């Protein structure tokens, strides 16, 4: 497997990685020692979303991959930019869910299709940024608890509701879609604010310990 870090080949590590995810963890640890974090990952020419990193790489054999390309940047820069973008996007999320639900309840439900698709994209962006910040800080998101559940449980529930909403959209069931937005997705949107605040607390603690 060819590891390309910031355009340079030949990066080598001691030992044998259990899977592709372990390789990325090792690269991240290597970068953190230099005060840098992972900005983007490309595997065999395909970009990998940070929020799906574990699902796509855990238990994936190292020899099944030709190349891993990682672009890094200064940790402080990465965290500051990601948190800024999160603080712009997250507060609008609950309101968007309620607004789009209202459109699907109206006499012109088709006008909600494009806003809903945009909502899914924005939510994906938010999750991607949360994982970027956590990786840069060396924080295991699984250790976070939000609204009396683990981050993993929150993410599983969110993905289930989003998939159900996409299914309802495909079936033209605007009533079910509206209910999912109003009663399931909007409350999960509120949780994103808690997660961002937790990440900001971690940044403050990290700054105090330096």
């Amino acid at each position: 497997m060819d590891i390309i870090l910031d355009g340079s080949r030949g990066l080598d590590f001691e030992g044998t990685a259990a899977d592709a995810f372990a390789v990325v963890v090792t690269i991240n640890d290597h970068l953190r020692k230099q005060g840098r974090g992972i900005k983007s990952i490309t595997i065999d020419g395909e970009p990998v979303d940070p929020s799906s990193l574990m699902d796509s790489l855990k238990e994936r054999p190292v020899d099944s991959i030709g190349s891993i390309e990682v672009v890094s940047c200064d940790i402080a820069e990465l965290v500051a930019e990601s948190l800024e973008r999160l603080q712009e996007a997250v507060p609008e999320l609950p309101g968007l869910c309620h607004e789009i639900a209202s459109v699907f309840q109206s006499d012109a439900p088709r006008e909600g299709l494009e806003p809903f698709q945009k909502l899914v994209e924005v939510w994906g962006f938010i999750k991607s940024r949360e994982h970027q910040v956590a990786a840069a800080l060396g924080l295991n998101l699984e250790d976070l608890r939000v609204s009396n559940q683990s981050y993993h449980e929150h993410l599983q529930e969110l993905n289930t509701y989003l998939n159900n909403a996409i299914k309802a959209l495909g079936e033209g069931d605007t009533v079910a879609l509206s209910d999912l937005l109003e009663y399931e997705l909007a409350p999960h949107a509120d949780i994103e604010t808690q997660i961002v605040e937790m990440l900001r607390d971690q940044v403050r603690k990290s700054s105090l310990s330096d």
Side-chain angles (χ1 to χ4, degrees), residues 81-133:
E81 187 216 349
S82 293
L83 282 176
E84 182 180 350
R85 298 291 298 279
L86 281 169
Q87 287 163 348
E88 290 173 358
V90 165
E92 299 179 2
L93 209 56
L96 281 174
C97 289
H98 291 301
E99 288 173 19
I100 297 169
S102 295
V103 175
F104 282 121
Q105 294 167 1
S106 72
D107 294 332
R110 292 188 61 83
E111 292 182 5
L113 299 181
E114 187 175 338
F116 173 74
Q117 291 167 348
K118 186 65 177 177
L119 173 70
V120 173
E121 291 175 10
V122 170
W123 220 319
F125 164 81
I126 288 170
K127 285 303 174 193
S128 177
R129 289 288 175 161
E130 288 173 358
H131 281 76
Q132 275 191 326
V133 172

Side-chain angles (χ1 to χ4, degrees), residues 182-197:
E182 192 81 33
Y183 303 113
E184 308 296 353
L185 290 173
H188 273 71
D190 285 322
I191 292 174
E192 301 298 347
T193 302
Q194 299 175 39
I195 294 171
V196 172
E197 188 55 39

Side-chain angles (χ1 to χ4, degrees), residues 38-175:
I38 295 176
K39 187 172 185 178
S40 67
I41 298 176
T42 304
I43 295 182
D44 291 336
E46 294 292 328
V48 180
D49 188 326
S51 63
S52 63
L53 199 61
M54 181 177 287
D55 289 339
S56 59
L57 299 184
K58 193 71 174 174
E59 299 183 1
R60 181 172 173 179
V62 174
D63 58 12
S64 70
I65 295 174
S67 67
I68 294 181
E69 183 172 0
V70 174
V71 175
S72 73
C73 68
D74 180 80
I75 284 180
E77 176 189 335
L78 176 63
V79 170
E81 187 216 349
S82 293
L83 282 176
E84 182 180 350
R85 298 291 298 279
L86 281 169
Q87 287 163 348
E88 290 173 358
V90 165
E92 299 179 2
L93 209 56
L96 281 174
C97 289
H98 291 301
E99 288 173 19
I100 297 169
S102 295
V103 175
F104 282 121
Q105 294 167 1
S106 72
D107 294 332
R110 292 188 61 83
E111 292 182 5
L113 299 181
E114 187 175 338
F116 173 74
Q117 291 167 348
K118 186 65 177 177
L119 173 70
V120 173
E121 291 175 10
V122 170
W123 220 319
F125 164 81
I126 288 170
K127 285 303 174 193
S128 177
R129 289 288 175 161
E130 288 173 358
H131 281 76
Q132 275 191 326
V133 172
L137 295 172
L139 173 68
N140 184 359
L141 282 174
E142 303 311 308
D143 294 334
L144 289 183
R145 292 196 66 81
V146 288
S147 295
N148 297 317
Q149 61 180 181
S150 70
Y151 183 90
H152 180 67
E153 290 168 335
H154 152 72
L155 188 57
Q156 281 190 317
E157 277 191 3
L158 173 61
N159 287 335
T160 297
Y161 292 136
L162 284 172
N163 287 332
N164 288 344
I166 291 169
K167 181 181 177 183
L169 179 65
E171 293 174 349
D173 189 346
T174 56
V175 174

